[in-house]
Amino acid sequence: MDKNTTTGLILIGAVVMAFMFLNQPDEQPIANQANENTPQQTSLDNKKNVLESENLENTTSITEIDSADNVIYKKLIEQKQREELIENYGIFYNSVNGDEKEYSLENSKIKVSFTSKGARITNAEMVELDESGSYKYRTYNSFVNDENKPLSLFEKESSQMSLTIVDAEKVIPVETKDLFFNLVTQNDSVLVFRANAGSIDKYLEFSYHLSKNKYDVDFNIDYHNIENDIKSDVDLKWSMNGLSTEKLAEDERMICTIMYRYFGTTRDWLSETSDNEEDLESNINWIAFKHKFFSSILLSENEDGLGKSKIVHRNLEDDKYTDSYASKSSIPSRGNVAFKFLFIPNDYDLLETYDSEIEGLINLGGSVFAWVNRYLIDPVFKFLLSSGFNLGLVILLLTIIVKIVIMPLTYKNYMSTAKTKVIKPEMSKITAKYEGKTDRNTAMKKQQETMALYKQTGVNPMAGCIPMIIQMPILIAVFRYFPASLSLRHKGFLWAEDLSSFDSIFDFGFTIPLYGDHISLFALLMAGSTLIYTMTNSSQMAPTQPGMPNMKVIMYMMPIMFIFIFNKYSSGLSYYYFCGNIMNIGIMWGIKKYLIDEDKIREKIESNKKKIKKKSRFQQRLEDVAKQQQKKRR
């Protein structure tokens, strides 16, 4: 390479280096190179932003379109739901949805709870106070545990009250228990609920009114401007499971049942001890769900109020409940319809204040037994109770008074027994004479000789039976009275903490069939005293005739049966019978020792044999019958 070429290359290299030096970037831009974009990148970002802006505008337009569709869609859904509600609930479709709220009415006697769903009664509590300021009526468990809680007759979960209404244009019935009512009036004594029926001036109204110091709640139904929108068939359904409030639910079930009364007739009832149902005709005055010591009653004072009905009674096996009660009654579907609900103690005097024979709820027995209880046992018992005596002493005094009243009959009964005992040897001779002979002629001859002996001695075989027959109504009446007496409830005596229920001195921890899971001392004392009375009295019983049941065996079996029967019964009843047996033993001893002289009776019988006596009508009839039978055989 020559010198000129070398010099040219050097100059060109210098120029290139100078150009690069002059055109290099500043230090700050280099340091921030990572945070700055090239012009090309900036151009791309600008284009992206433009596209994103255009997409956003497009998206907004789409959202607006979708939102309009959603509104239409929601309206269509709402319209469909509304049509379904109208199809299922007719004019009450606006009352299907709502919030359930609880309300109550309370006075000095009862507290009644309500729910806005169905506008129905959900609970009834007995809130009356006693002299100490505690609740007068409590459950047995609250009583023994000294808990001051009011007694409830039923609860929301196991009770129901509803009207079944059919829309005029629909077939499916509407149950008011499924509707939400609005509360429109509320004060200390009144609650008024309304269920919307399509417009402001159309509604179904339930109003409840609780008066001062009363056990009854007025219940009024107003079909306000909807008479033409519903069919005439309206049913009132009412049901509940009665809560067990006493010591033993099984014992309560012996009295719990459904009772009812037609206008102008006496009350009737379903069986207490078995499941049953019955169809009732129209014009029903009241239907009562009877608990042991209280009752829940639906009352109509208008003969057209409760029409054809069906009542159903079931015994439950749950210790929490006693029985299941249900009624379904046709009611008017026009205008205002008035009823009453009564939640009331089964106190005869209290129930008698109502003009509908509601006192018939207390089953005092049949006509004769009820008369004895109403006009003898009850007045004397309540008079003694008002004196302030202990209930055990009251029952003892009642027993003494009853024994004094029937003393003349008792004396005649023992006198007849003594006469029968005196002629017993002669009766035995007649029996021995025809022993082993069973033909009809022999039996007839034996009967004739027996009647001849009665005639000669002046002994009337019916004299001892008649006083016993007269005394039986009192014994049976008391059997009905004590278990149903509210006055015995939660009243104790000696070891019995509650005379309305059984007493227990020992609990087994298991159940013996037909007997129970405990030992009732009063039942044992009653059975034992009955056995002693039977033993002391059996020696005077007439000999058993051939072919007849052995009365002595039957009499000895009775005390054993009493042990099983009365072990679960009211201890007050067992105590009454025990007192009666002790008095009977004492009376019999006194009459035998001081009033009846068998020697004198024997002398009188011997003198009667010598007298010619006119046949009594009874004897004449027996002889006439015997003669007619002999003629037929010939």
Side-chain angles (χ1 to χ4, degrees):
M1 180 180 294
D2 58 12
K3 183 179 179 180
N4 291 332
T5 302
T6 304
T7 302
L9 291 172
I10 293 171
L11 289 174
I12 292 171
V15 171
V16 171
M17 292 296 292
F19 179 81
M20 291 178 64
F21 177 81
L22 291 174
N23 289 283
Q24 67 180 348
D26 296 335
E27 291 182 0
Q28 181 66 27
I30 292 173
N32 296 331
Q33 187 175 2
N35 297 327
E36 292 186 359
N37 297 320
T38 63
Q40 292 83 353
Q41 181 67 38
T42 301
S43 177
L44 290 172
D45 289 343
N46 289 337
K47 289 181 180 180
K48 182 178 180 181
N49 289 338
V50 171
L51 289 173
E52 287 179 351
S53 177
E54 291 175 354
N55 289 336
L56 180 62
E57 291 177 359
N58 292 336
T59 301
T60 302
S61 300
I62 293 171
T63 302
E64 290 176 354
I65 295 172
D66 290 345
S67 176
D69 290 342
N70 286 337
V71 171
I72 295 173
Y73 178 75
K74 288 180 179 178
K75 288 183 177 179
L76 290 173
I77 292 296
E78 291 174 357
Q79 178 65 24
K80 184 178 180 180
Q81 291 175 344
R82 181 172 177 271
E83 290 175 355
E84 289 179 353
L85 290 175
I86 293 174
E87 180 66 25
N88 293 325
Y89 296 95
I91 59 175
F92 296 107
Y93 71 93
N94 278 333
S95 298
V96 176
N97 299 311
D99 296 324
E100 186 174 6
K101 297 179 180 180
E102 306 291 334
Y103 305 93
S104 65
L105 293 175
E106 183 175 354
N107 60 16
S108 62
K109 303 294 184 182
I110 59 174
K111 178 182 178 181
V112 185
S113 301
F114 304 83
T115 177
S116 61
K117 187 175 182 181
R120 66 182 182 89
I121 297 174
T122 59
N123 190 13
E125 297 176 289
M126 315 306 293
V127 297
E128 185 176 357
L129 302 178
D130 58 20
E131 296 177 354
S132 66
S134 300
Y135 289 113
K136 183 177 180 180
Y137 301 114
R138 294 178 285 170
T139 64
Y140 174 79
N141 289 333
S142 294
F143 167 68
V144 296
N145 295 324
D146 199 24
E147 296 175 343
N148 192 28
K149 295 180 180 179
L151 178 148
S152 296
L153 300 181
F154 53 92
E155 58 189 2
K156 179 181 179 181
E157 293 74 17
S158 59
S159 64
Q160 195 58 260
M161 191 277 287
S162 180
L163 262 62
T164 304
I165 302 175
V166 181
D167 191 287
E169 298 181 356
K170 307 295 178 183
V171 178
I172 300 175
V174 177
E175 297 285 348
T176 59
K177 65 182 178 64
D178 299 325
L179 304 179
F180 288 89
F181 286 67
N182 296 317
L183 183 68
V184 296
T185 303
Q186 180 181 19
N187 57 45
D188 292 340
S189 59
V190 174
L191 289 175
V192 179
F193 298 92
R194 287 179 184 172
N196 185 283
S199 63
I200 296 177
D201 63 336
K202 289 186 176 184
Y203 51 82
L204 175 65
E205 181 178 279
F206 290 174
S207 63
Y208 299 92
H209 176 248
L210 178 62
S211 301
K212 270 189 174 184
N213 302 320
K214 291 283 188 178
Y215 292 95
D216 51 280
V217 182
D218 292 317
F219 172 49
N220 291 280
I221 304 170
D222 180 12
Y223 304 94
H224 195 80
N225 293 330
I226 63 172
E227 291 91 342
N228 297 326
D229 298 315
I230 62 175
K231 293 184 179 180
S232 59
D233 299 325
V234 175
D235 292 328
L236 172 58
K237 297 178 180 178
W238 185 36
S239 63
M240 69 174 67
N241 289 349
L243 289 171
S244 175
T245 60
E246 309 308 315
K247 189 173 184 178
L248 185 66
E250 182 181 350
D251 176 58
E252 293 178 78
R253 295 187 188 106
M254 299 295 291
I255 297 179
C256 296
T257 185
I258 298 181
M259 288 190 167
Y260 59 92
R261 176 181 182 264
Y262 294 107
F263 281 95
T265 63
T266 57
R267 57 96 174 97
D268 203 347
W269 68 94
L270 300 182
S271 171
E272 294 101 332
T273 56
S274 62
D275 296 346
N276 207 344
E277 60 185 60
E278 190 168 338
D279 294 320
L280 308 180
E281 297 300 323
S282 58
N283 301 327
I284 300 169
N285 189 190
W286 48 261
I287 296 173
F289 298 164
K290 183 187 176 185
H291 316 277
K292 182 173 182 179
F293 290 113
F294 305 89
S295 289
S296 303
I297 307 168
L298 175 61
L299 170 68
S300 173
E301 296 177 340
N302 187 337
E303 293 192 16
D304 297 328
L306 292 173
K308 290 186 176 181
S309 303
K310 182 173 184 176
I311 53 177
V312 180
H313 169 249
R314 298 282 185 266
N315 290 133
L316 302 178
E317 296 182 357
D318 190 337
D319 290 339
K320 182 179 179 180
Y321 304 106
T322 53
D323 290 357
S324 170
Y325 311 90
S327 68
K328 178 182 176 182
S329 305
S330 62
I331 64 172
S333 60
R334 302 290 182 268
N336 290 282
V337 186
F339 299 102
K340 282 183 185 292
F341 282 106
L342 280 73
F343 307 105
I344 191 168
N346 291 338
D347 180 85
Y348 196 97
D349 295 334
L350 174 63
L351 296 172
E352 201 174 26
T353 60
Y354 292 86
D355 297 329
S356 300
E357 297 187 16
I358 299 179
E359 66 274 10
L361 284 173
I362 302 177
N363 192 352
L364 298 176
S367 56
V368 176
F369 310 125
W371 185 91
V372 172
N373 276 323
R374 186 70 188 109
Y375 298 105
L376 175 61
I377 303 299
D378 188 63
V380 175
F381 181 76
K382 288 183 176 178
F383 171 76
L384 294 172
L385 201 60
S386 64
S387 64
F389 294 135
N390 177 275
L391 191 57
L393 180 58
V394 168
I395 295 175
L396 176 61
L397 293 174
L398 174 65
T399 311
I400 294 173
I401 292 172
V402 171
K403 293 302 178 183
I404 291 174
V405 170
I406 64 175
M407 181 64 77
L409 298 175
T410 305
Y411 174 76
K412 287 185 178 181
N413 182 46
Y414 283 121
M415 180 62 74
S416 175
T417 303
K419 290 180 178 180
T420 304
K421 183 181 178 181
V422 169
I423 66 170
K424 185 177 179 181
E426 297 184 49
M427 292 289 296
S428 299
K429 290 179 182 179
I430 296 175
T431 302
K433 180 179 178 181
Y434 296 98
E435 187 175 0
K437 300 177 181 180
T438 58
D439 59 282
R440 293 183 179 180
N441 290 332
T442 301
M444 189 62 63
K445 289 179 181 179
K446 180 182 177 182
Q447 185 178 15
Q448 288 175 349
E449 289 190 29
T450 301
M451 295 306 300
L453 177 62
Y454 287 148
K455 178 184 174 183
Q456 289 177 354
T457 58
V459 175
N460 184 352
M462 300 299 294
C465 298
I466 294 175
M468 285 298 297
I469 292 173
I470 296 175
Q471 293 181 56
M472 284 301 294
I474 297 177
L475 295 174
I476 298 176
V478 172
F479 184 81
R480 276 289 186 178
Y481 182 81
F482 276 100
S485 176
L486 188 65
S487 301
L488 268 66
R489 188 174 188 269
H490 295 177
K491 299 297 190 300
F493 178 64
L494 298 178
W495 58 85
E497 58 191 6
D498 184 358
L499 288 172
S500 69
S501 186
F502 64 86
D503 62 296
S504 176
I505 59 170
F506 183 77
D507 295 327
F508 298 128
F510 57 90
T511 300
I512 298 176
L514 301 177
Y515 184 68
D517 59 356
H518 63 276
I519 297 176
S520 170
L521 182 54
F522 273 128
L524 288 178
L525 291 174
M526 186 272 292
S529 60
T530 302
L531 179 61
I532 294 171
Y533 174 71
T534 301
M535 292 172 63
T536 56
N537 198 37
S538 62
S539 61
Q540 300 186 29
M541 295 176 62
T544 302
Q545 300 296 325
M548 299 294 291
N550 193 324
M551 293 304 297
K552 286 187 178 181
V553 174
I554 294 175
M555 293 300 292
Y556 280 119
M557 287 295 296
M558 289 301 294
I560 299 175
M561 294 173 60
F562 287 161
I563 293 176
F564 289 88
I565 294 173
F566 285 88
N567 194 57
K568 296 179 182 179
Y569 262 60
S570 162
S571 54
L573 178 64
S574 298
Y575 171 59
Y576 173 85
Y577 283 145
F578 168 67
C579 293
N581 287 336
I582 296 300
M583 291 180 192
N584 284 338
I585 294 171
I587 291 170
M588 183 180 68
W589 176 83
I591 291 176
K592 288 173 63 177
K593 185 171 182 63
Y594 299 105
L595 299 180
I596 295 179
D597 187 335
E598 292 186 3
D599 293 333
K600 290 184 178 180
I601 293 175
R602 189 174 290 104
E603 291 176 3
K604 188 175 182 179
I605 288 176
E606 291 298 329
S607 64
N608 287 337
K609 289 181 180 180
K610 300 174 182 179
K611 295 179 182 179
I612 300 176
K613 281 194 169 185
K614 184 180 179 182
K615 296 180 182 179
S616 66
R617 292 182 179 179
F618 177 74
Q619 292 172 329
Q620 186 63 50
R621 287 177 182 175
L622 286 178
E623 289 185 8
D624 291 341
V625 170
K627 290 178 180 178
Q628 289 178 3
Q629 290 179 349
Q630 286 181 346
K631 288 181 180 180
K632 289 180 180 179
R633 292 191 187 96
R634 292 174 182 174

